[in-house]
């Protein structure tokens, strides 16, 4: 098959935040990211400061504006801290732009070549749900640390890594009856196909419901589940998100680890709060999952969830929101063969989320 948009994976994820210096300290201290690159007044950038963090294959960029009137400041005013860019690695950013725009993608910016002594990078960008964008990054002719304009960020503060290895999937929340529209966007303009779909019978509790479809590129390297709210007795977590993010946006970033027990123990000791399910979840687990390598008591102590599919099983856990608005959060996931997304955990998980919504007065 001729793939008109071959992707090398997620290149980086950029957050617009109110205070990038402090956010960088948080992601280093709490999640074990390392200082990687920096752009700001000291490097000749006048209107913003960007801190780039890395852990294995994951690159986060935290950007803050230096003046009150700018696109970045407006984004933060409206949405709070959140994901602006999901950057996709490509071998040809001009072709990626032309092929997707030809198929109906709304342009964000046309191809730009930026250069420094380390070579050149071509970027281009299209819009996706809400104010979120995809930047195509062609870096095959570049040997610098991150992108032209950035310098290496040397820091004497080096918290140990926590085992976070790669981005597994990135989930978007969209508005009522918009899931199909955005899935079609990924199908028609980026050539993705649908991996799985969940309806409100799969994902509902006594009170709330949502629907979800997982879109994937041809190689399976890039997976984007899309959620929309569904009718329930009370307000769903997707509606709460949209009410506080003021529109569609990235709900969670799932990050893989080769050892979830060690990673989660470490993150908890660094102050990361996770959603917890009731103890009864673990009493029923052996019957539902069968034999697994881990001790159920260890999983219960940390609050790690397990699900099985035809290919194997997976272990997963979800942080509480990473900022004060109940918006973006992380999932930590370890796959042991399974290629699915934890359907068997939805009910217990969503009941846990509802307890948090209730505490916030948003159920
Ligand atoms: Fe997920």
């Amino acid at each position: 098959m001729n793939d008109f948009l071959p992707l090398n994976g997620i290149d980086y994820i950029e957050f617009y935040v109110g205070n990038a210096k402090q956010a960088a300290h948080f992601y280093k201290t709490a999640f074990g990211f390392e200082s990687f690159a920096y752009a700001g007044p000291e490097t000749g950038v006048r209107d913003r400061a960007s801190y780039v963090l890395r852990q294995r294959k994951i690159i986060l960029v935290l950007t803050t504006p230096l003046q009150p009137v700018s696109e970045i400041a407006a984004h933060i005013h409206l949405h709070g801290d959140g994901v602006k860019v999901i950057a996709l690695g490509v071998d040809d950013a001009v072709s990626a732009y032309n092929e997707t725009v030809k198929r109906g993608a709304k342009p964000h910016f046309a191809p730009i070549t930026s250069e420094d002594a380390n070579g050149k990078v071509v970027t281009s960008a299209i819009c996706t749900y809400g104010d979120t964008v995809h930047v195509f990054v062609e870096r095959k002719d570049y040997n610098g640390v991150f992108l032209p304009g950035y310098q290496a960020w040397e820091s004497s503060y080096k918290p140990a890594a926590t085992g976070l290895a790669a981005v597994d999937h990135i989930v978007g929340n969209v508005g009522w009856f918009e899931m199909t529209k955005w899935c079609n966007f990924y199908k028609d303009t980026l050539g993705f196909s649908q991996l799985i779909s969940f309806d409100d019978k799969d994902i509902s509790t006594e009170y709330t419901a949502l629907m979800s479809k997982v879109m994937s590129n041809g190689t399976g390297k890039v997976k984007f589940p899309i959620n929309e709210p569904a009718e329930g007795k009370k307000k769903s977590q997707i509606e709460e998100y949209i009410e506080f993010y003021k529109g569609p946006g990235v709900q969670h970033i799932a990050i893989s680890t080769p050892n979830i027990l060690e990673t989660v123990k470490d993150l908890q000791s660094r102050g990361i709060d996770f959603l917890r399910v009731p103890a009864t979840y673990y009493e029923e687990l052996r019957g539902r999952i069968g034999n697994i390598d881990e001790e159920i008591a260890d999983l219960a102590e940390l609050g790690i969830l397990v699900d099985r599919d035809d290919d194997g099983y997976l272990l997963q856990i979800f942080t509480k929101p990473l900022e004060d608005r109940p918006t973006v959060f992380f999932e930590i996931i370890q796959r042991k063969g399974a290629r699915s997304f934890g359907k068997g955990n939805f009910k217990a998980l969503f009941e846990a989320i509802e307890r948090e919504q209730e505490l916030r007065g948003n159920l």
Side-chain angles (χ1 to χ4, degrees), residues 138-210:
E138 174 192 329
R139 54 169 73 256
K140 62 180 190 298
D141 299 318
Y142 192 65
N143 295 313
V145 57
F146 177 56
L147 293 172
Y150 285 79
Q151 65 183 33
W153 174 19
E154 309 287 354
S155 169
S156 57
Y157 178 55
K158 296 179 165 116
T162 59
L164 304 180
V167 174
D168 187 275
H169 58 275
I170 302 176
V171 181
N173 282 343
V174 300
W176 285 94
F177 315 114
E178 287 189 342
M179 177 181 67
T180 301
K181 170 184 140 185
W182 286 107
C183 291
N184 286 341
F185 164 79
Y186 281 103
K187 184 159 64 102
D188 298 338
T189 68
L190 284 85
F192 282 35
S193 51
Q194 187 181 315
L195 220 54
I196 315 179
S197 98
F198 306 103
D199 63 19
D200 47 351
K201 284 178 269 320
D202 297 317
I203 321 184
S204 71
T205 66
E206 187 184 349
Y207 297 121
T208 68
L210 65 90

Side-chain angles (χ1 to χ4, degrees), residues 169 171 225 252 254 316 318 331 341:
H169 58 275
V171 181
H252 75 265
Q316 63 186 168
F318 298 82
E331 170 182 353
F341 294 83

Side-chain angles (χ1 to χ4, degrees), residues 16-240:
Y16 282 175
V17 300
N19 187 331
K21 179 179 278 193
Q22 289 187 4
H25 192 73
F26 169 75
Y27 287 100
K28 284 177 67 175
T29 304
F31 287 98
F33 283 89
E34 60 178 331
S35 300
F36 186 52
Y38 172 81
E42 300 84 346
T43 69
V45 177
R46 303 305 303 167
D47 66 336
R48 66 186 72 188
S50 296
Y51 294 77
V52 187
L53 303 174
R54 188 179 72 170
Q55 191 164 174
R56 300 220 205 163
K57 289 185 185 165
I58 313 154
I59 292 183
L60 302 183
V61 182
L62 304 164
T63 293
T64 201
L66 300 177
Q67 295 293 335
V69 180
S70 72
E71 173 255 327
I72 306 169
H75 194 279
I76 297 165
H77 182 72
L78 184 64
H79 301 296
D81 287 6
V83 173
K84 175 64 183 181
V85 178
I86 301 169
L88 301 167
V90 295
D91 288 336
D92 185 341
V94 173
S95 161
Y97 181 83
N98 290 340
E99 293 295 327
T100 52
V101 169
K102 186 172 83 187
R103 288 170 171 80
K106 186 178 155 201
H108 182 58
F109 62 78
I112 301 170
T113 301
S114 40
E115 277 176 86
D116 66 15
N118 298 300
K120 66 165 191 168
V121 173
V122 185
T123 53
S124 59
I126 59 170
C127 301
T128 178
Y129 46 76
D131 288 330
T132 318
V133 302
H134 289 305
V135 174
F136 299 116
V137 184
E138 174 192 329
R139 54 169 73 256
K140 62 180 190 298
D141 299 318
Y142 192 65
N143 295 313
V145 57
F146 177 56
L147 293 172
Y150 285 79
Q151 65 183 33
W153 174 19
E154 309 287 354
S155 169
S156 57
Y157 178 55
K158 296 179 165 116
T162 59
L164 304 180
V167 174
D168 187 275
H169 58 275
I170 302 176
V171 181
N173 282 343
V174 300
W176 285 94
F177 315 114
E178 287 189 342
M179 177 181 67
T180 301
K181 170 184 140 185
W182 286 107
C183 291
N184 286 341
F185 164 79
Y186 281 103
K187 184 159 64 102
D188 298 338
T189 68
L190 284 85
F192 282 35
S193 51
Q194 187 181 315
L195 220 54
I196 315 179
S197 98
F198 306 103
D199 63 19
D200 47 351
K201 284 178 269 320
D202 297 317
I203 321 184
S204 71
T205 66
E206 187 184 349
Y207 297 121
T208 68
L210 65 90
M211 297 202 281
S212 188
K213 283 183 180 172
V214 181
M215 303 304 291
S216 169
N217 82 319
T219 61
K221 274 185 198 161
V222 178
K223 295 187 286 287
F224 293 147
I226 307 285
N227 297 330
E228 74 173 18
E231 203 63 62
K233 283 188 205 158
K234 295 192 177 183
K235 188 188 293 174
S236 78
Q237 53 175 302
I238 313 303
E239 289 173 273
E240 186 198 36

